[in-house]
Protein backbone atom coordinates (compact mmCIF):
# COMPACT_ATOMS: atom_id res chain seq x y z
CA UNK A 1 0.00 0.00 0.00
CA UNK A 2 2.92 2.35 0.69
CA UNK A 3 4.17 1.98 -2.89
CA UNK A 4 0.67 2.72 -4.22
CA UNK A 5 0.27 5.74 -1.92
CA UNK A 6 3.75 7.02 -2.90
CA UNK A 7 2.88 6.74 -6.61
CA UNK A 8 5.46 4.03 -7.35
CA UNK A 9 2.81 1.47 -8.32
CA UNK A 10 0.39 3.60 -10.30
CA UNK A 11 -0.26 1.31 -13.25
CA UNK A 12 -2.18 -1.94 -13.49
CA UNK A 13 -1.49 -5.48 -14.59
CA UNK A 14 -4.40 -7.60 -15.83
CA UNK A 15 -4.18 -11.37 -16.27
CA UNK A 16 -6.83 -13.07 -18.40
CA UNK A 17 -7.56 -16.45 -19.95
CA UNK A 18 -6.39 -16.24 -23.60
CA UNK A 19 -8.70 -19.08 -24.65
CA UNK A 20 -11.96 -17.18 -24.15
CA UNK A 21 -11.03 -13.69 -25.34
CA UNK A 22 -13.20 -11.81 -27.85
CA UNK A 23 -11.25 -9.00 -29.51
CA UNK A 24 -10.76 -7.22 -32.80
CA UNK A 25 -10.35 -3.92 -34.60
CA UNK A 26 -12.47 -1.07 -33.23
CA UNK A 27 -15.83 -0.27 -34.78
CA UNK A 28 -16.60 3.28 -35.95
CA UNK A 29 -18.28 3.97 -32.58
CA UNK A 30 -15.33 2.57 -30.63
CA UNK A 31 -12.91 4.68 -32.70
CA UNK A 32 -14.87 7.81 -31.79
CA UNK A 33 -14.94 6.74 -28.13
CA UNK A 34 -11.28 5.68 -27.76
CA UNK A 35 -9.59 7.81 -30.43
CA UNK A 36 -7.91 7.22 -33.76
CA UNK A 37 -4.87 5.57 -32.16
CA UNK A 38 -7.00 2.66 -30.92
CA UNK A 39 -6.07 -0.44 -32.92
CA UNK A 40 -7.62 -3.28 -30.89
CA UNK A 41 -10.56 -3.64 -28.52
CA UNK A 42 -10.92 -6.52 -26.06
CA UNK A 43 -14.68 -6.95 -25.72
CA UNK A 44 -14.97 -10.07 -23.52
CA UNK A 45 -12.50 -11.96 -21.36
CA UNK A 46 -12.27 -13.87 -18.12
CA UNK A 47 -10.34 -12.06 -15.42
CA UNK A 48 -7.73 -14.23 -13.70
CA UNK A 49 -5.75 -11.57 -11.84
CA UNK A 50 -5.49 -7.81 -11.29
CA UNK A 51 -2.64 -5.99 -9.57
CA UNK A 52 -0.86 -2.67 -9.31
CA UNK A 53 2.60 -2.58 -10.89
CA UNK A 54 5.53 -0.14 -11.16
CA UNK A 55 6.42 -1.48 -14.64
CA UNK A 56 3.42 -1.69 -17.01
CA UNK A 57 3.55 -3.76 -20.17
CA UNK A 58 1.47 -1.28 -22.19
CA UNK A 59 1.39 2.36 -21.06
CA UNK A 60 -1.31 3.16 -23.62
CA UNK A 61 -3.78 0.55 -22.39
CA UNK A 62 -6.91 1.74 -20.63
CA UNK A 63 -9.58 -0.02 -18.61
CA UNK A 64 -12.87 1.51 -19.69
CA UNK A 65 -15.20 -0.58 -17.56
CA UNK A 66 -15.74 -3.90 -15.90
CA UNK A 67 -18.98 -5.86 -15.97
CA UNK A 68 -18.45 -7.86 -12.79
CA UNK A 69 -15.66 -9.29 -10.67
CA UNK A 70 -17.85 -10.55 -7.86
CA UNK A 71 -17.83 -14.27 -8.80
CA UNK A 72 -14.06 -14.35 -8.29
CA UNK A 73 -14.16 -12.99 -4.74
CA UNK A 74 -17.01 -14.95 -3.13
Amino acid sequence: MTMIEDGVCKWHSVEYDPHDIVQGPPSVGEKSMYGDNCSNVIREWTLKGYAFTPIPCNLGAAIDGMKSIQPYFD
Side-chain angles (χ1 to χ4, degrees):
M1 284 303 297
T2 301
M3 292 177 74
I4 294 170
E5 291 169 355
D6 290 347
V8 176
C9 291
K10 58 185 174 181
W11 294 282
H12 305 103
S13 174
V14 178
E15 179 186 1
Y16 57 88
D17 185 344
H19 301 291
D20 66 359
I21 191 169
V22 176
Q23 66 179 340
S27 66
V28 173
E30 289 167 336
K31 275 277 194 187
S32 67
M33 186 184 313
Y34 302 123
D36 290 333
N37 291 331
C38 178
S39 60
N40 187 51
V41 176
I42 299 174
R43 294 178 182 88
E44 292 181 32
W45 47 280
T46 300
L47 179 67
K48 297 293 183 185
Y50 183 84
F52 285 90
T53 182
I55 306 170
C57 181
N58 184 350
L59 279 172
I63 298 173
D64 182 75
M66 191 174 295
K67 182 177 176 183
S68 173
I69 61 172
Q70 192 57 41
Y72 301 102
F73 296 101
D74 284 344

